[in-house]
Amino acid sequence: MRLVFADHEPHLKPNPRRDHMSGVPELAYSTLDRHGGRVLAPGQVVRTAGQSSPVGTIYRYDRLLVDESVIQNAEARRKLEGAISPTGMSLESQAASVIVAGQGSYRVPVTSAAGDHAAVDAWALIQRLRTGSGESSLPGELLDKVRLEHLMICSKSGPGVGNGEPPVGGSHSFSLGRIPVDMVNPMPSRHSAERRMRVAVLDTGVPPKHPAFDVSDRSEGDDTFVIVDHAFQTKLGEHSDSPAIPLDDPWEGPVHEPTLVGEVASHFGHGTFMTGLLRQMSPDVQVYSLRVVHNDGLAYEHEVIAALHHVADQVEASRNGEAEAVNVDVVVLAMGYVDESPDDEPGGWIGDAVKRLAALGIPVVAAAGNQSSDRPFYPAAFSAHHLPEVAAPILSVGALNPNRHIAMFSNEGPWVTCYATGAGLVSTYPREAKGSRMPDRRARSSYLNRHRESHDPDDFSSGYAVWSGTSFAAPIAAAFLVNAMADAEPGGALDSAAASARAHEALKRLKKQLA
């Protein structure tokens, strides 16, 4: 495993020659429809006169994120609803939902007004609000509190979108997808520890049974390699408003794509693979697994924000002496989005959540994306935003091939902090995954009660796979960091300043060792 740091401080540098659809992931029409998603293509959308043309992104067309100060203020809510009324659309602010108190924004449904046949589109609604006049005009400070909800995609690499459907978007993959393998070497021994370093992985979850690691709920207080959070998942399910299956359990199918073909879902096992990399490189940590990504690789911005604030709440509660709270040392994210702002500088609620963790002294390690683009991919690109000196670092991680060259699929740019091995990796995979693809050749054995066959490309009963992506470079970088942090662990509880200092010191030593 390799880790290489960039030789510059991360910064944002707009590329005027960049294609407006650069960095937008390819998705099948059925996948977009499953999540109420739409691609914002600059040449196909309305835009406010005098405003710069947007750049491509993917968003939920019938949802908006609205600042909690608007939802909780009757007068501000009335102004917003009044401005929307003439557009033929309606904002169901009474149905606004927030998963974790204080997460900054509420997710609000957008519908067609009664008896009106106007097409529902959150982007078009925001543009009309910006051009309102008279009673329908809104002050700028209120307009700034109404935004799109982005669909975030996991950064694994594979041979296209599957399902035989045409993709929608502007990027390409340059890597073979996952294939089943067997693991020859045993997992490294896990030693007892009075205080475990803990890594939060926000992804597709892990199966309750796998030979490489044990799993328990955080309420049980067991020293398993993975702990899950049924209470958080239940809350996530209660607030689900998507046609997709709710993420109300730490682990659940479907294993297969929702078609008649029987292919293994494109991102099924994604979080399991990430967890297995940590098990190989940092066997003495504990993984706190929160399921926020669907098995087709998509996550909702609102739910990711909620999970980040939930982790921050747990850290604060643990430091305040609550015995059942989960203290976290590092957060790993493998999903992201490109923002529609032509300046590539979003802030908003997901930025607030990431920066809150950094302010608590918790480093956030995020995948840089797999679109072969230099366009900032968020939240990884928050690494290039200014942070207070007392905050922990935010690391954006690109992918290396085994020969240490940058993987063709990996994003890169001045906002990428480091690169770790992310191609041709072997790690854990759910054993229940078995797809419809068959071996090229198969015959009955003459001597044993089994078949002779060529390699079955989607039978993962071995529990291991080879896969590629910046998704998997991120936990490797996190493992390097958490191991270095563990070496400097002073023991006892840390406040935010001490936790941040520990992270920066570990990062400094890593850079020196790997130079």
Side-chain angles (χ1 to χ4, degrees):
M1 305 293 182
R2 305 295 181 187
L3 180 65
V4 176
F5 285 92
D7 57 2
H8 58 260
E9 287 298 314
H11 61 279
L12 292 173
K13 184 179 179 181
N15 181 351
R17 297 186 299 277
R18 184 190 296 137
D19 186 284
H20 284 179
M21 293 301 290
S22 173
V24 179
E26 294 180 345
L27 295 174
Y29 288 114
S30 63
T31 303
L32 284 170
D33 182 66
R34 188 180 307 138
H35 299 283
R38 186 167 291 166
V39 175
L40 190 154
Q44 300 173 11
V45 296
V46 297
R47 73 173 194 249
T48 307
Q51 296 287 320
S52 299
S53 175
V55 286
T57 192
I58 300 176
Y59 66 102
R60 298 184 73 191
Y61 65 81
D62 59 352
R63 295 292 184 272
L64 282 172
L65 294 187
V66 180
D67 193 272
E68 61 183 352
S69 65
V70 176
I71 297 299
Q72 294 175 355
N73 183 302
E75 178 63 18
R77 195 170 66 241
R78 184 192 63 76
K79 284 184 180 179
L80 181 59
E81 291 172 343
I84 289 173
S85 182
T87 69
M89 287 179 264
S90 174
L91 195 69
E92 296 184 31
S93 60
Q94 300 305 318
S97 68
V98 63
I99 301 166
V100 173
Q103 73 178 65
S105 64
Y106 281 69
R107 180 169 53 202
V108 187
V110 180
T111 59
S112 183
D116 198 289
H117 299 288
V120 173
D121 181 53
W123 169 261
L125 176 56
I126 291 175
Q127 302 315 299
R128 291 178 187 178
L129 290 176
R130 293 189 181 281
T131 56
S133 58
E135 292 185 2
S136 64
S137 63
L138 288 175
E141 62 269 20
L142 183 52
L143 275 172
D144 290 340
K145 296 178 179 180
V146 181
R147 301 182 182 179
L148 297 179
E149 178 173 20
H150 298 94
L151 280 172
M152 305 174 73
I153 189 163
C154 269
S155 302
K156 67 93 190 175
S157 185
V161 294
N163 295 339
E165 295 187 49
V168 185
S171 62
H172 304 275
S173 284
F174 296 93
S175 174
L176 294 176
R178 73 210 147 171
I179 58 173
V181 296
D182 210 348
M183 178 74 84
V184 176
N185 292 326
M187 284 287 177
S189 298
R190 190 163 186 256
H191 303 100
S192 59
E194 190 172 314
R195 195 284 206 209
R196 295 227 181 258
M197 301 291 286
R198 191 171 287 126
V199 180
V201 176
L202 281 55
D203 211 83
T204 61
V206 294
K209 293 182 179 179
H210 193 283
F213 41 72
D214 46 1
V215 181
S216 65
D217 187 73
R218 75 176 182 91
S219 62
E220 297 168 6
D222 292 340
D223 186 27
T224 51
F225 184 72
V226 179
I227 55 172
V228 296
D229 197 328
H230 280 85
F232 174 78
Q233 300 298 159
T234 298
K235 191 181 295 185
L236 206 63
E238 289 171 350
H239 287 81
S240 176
D241 62 353
S242 166
I245 296 173
L247 304 177
D248 56 0
D249 193 271
W251 178 254
E252 191 177 29
V255 175
H256 302 104
E257 299 282 4
T259 68
L260 301 179
V261 178
E263 288 182 306
V264 177
S266 64
H267 289 68
F268 181 73
H270 191 270
T272 309
F273 199 92
M274 294 172 65
T275 301
L277 292 169
L278 287 164
R279 179 65 183 83
Q280 294 175 68
M281 293 191 64
S282 302
D284 292 332
V285 306
Q286 186 173 66
V287 170
Y288 181 34
S289 175
L290 295 178
R291 185 169 169 240
V292 296
V293 179
H294 293 263
N295 286 319
D296 56 15
L298 291 183
Y300 304 148
E301 185 178 4
H302 186 66
E303 293 182 346
V304 174
I305 294 168
L308 291 168
H309 279 294
H310 175 70
V311 172
D313 289 344
Q314 290 293 308
V315 171
E316 290 182 343
S318 175
R319 291 177 181 174
N320 288 331
E322 293 187 25
E324 292 188 0
V326 180
N327 190 45
V328 168
D329 298 284
V330 177
V331 173
V332 181
L333 301 172
M335 83 295 287
Y337 70 96
V338 288
D339 195 81
E340 68 277 7
S341 166
D343 297 324
D344 282 325
E345 289 199 36
W349 303 289
I350 194 163
D352 293 341
V354 169
K355 291 172 184 178
R356 179 187 174 196
L357 286 166
L360 287 170
I362 312 302
V364 177
V365 183
N370 294 350
Q371 289 75 47
S372 303
S373 171
D374 67 349
R375 187 170 166 197
F377 187 74
Y378 288 93
F382 285 119
S383 63
H385 287 222
H386 175 73
L387 292 172
E389 288 185 10
V390 294
I394 299 170
L395 302 183
S396 51
V397 189
L400 298 175
N401 288 321
N403 64 1
R404 302 196 194 188
H405 289 292
I406 297 172
M408 185 63 75
F409 58 77
S410 177
N411 287 351
E412 65 170 319
W415 50 274
V416 178
T417 312
C418 59
Y419 298 83
T421 308
L425 294 164
V426 177
S427 188
T428 50
Y429 198 83
R431 292 189 294 176
E432 60 263 43
K434 183 172 174 60
S436 59
R437 296 170 65 193
M438 298 297 291
D440 292 334
R441 301 188 68 182
R442 195 179 201 198
R444 195 74 192 177
S445 169
S446 302
Y447 300 97
L448 295 177
N449 185 26
R450 60 190 62 209
H451 286 96
R452 295 168 51 82
E453 60 182 35
S454 55
H455 192 180
D456 190 326
D458 58 1
D459 179 348
F460 294 90
S461 54
S462 68
Y464 297 92
V466 171
W467 216 349
S468 302
T470 59
S471 286
F472 311 131
I476 287 176
F480 274 102
L481 178 60
V482 77
N483 290 346
M485 289 167 62
D487 290 341
E489 174 64 44
L494 298 178
D495 60 16
S496 298
S500 178
R502 178 187 62 177
H504 280 288
E505 178 59 30
L507 195 59
K508 187 186 301 182
R509 285 189 286 109
L510 263 182
K511 289 180 178 179
K512 186 175 181 180
Q513 292 168 10
L514 300 173

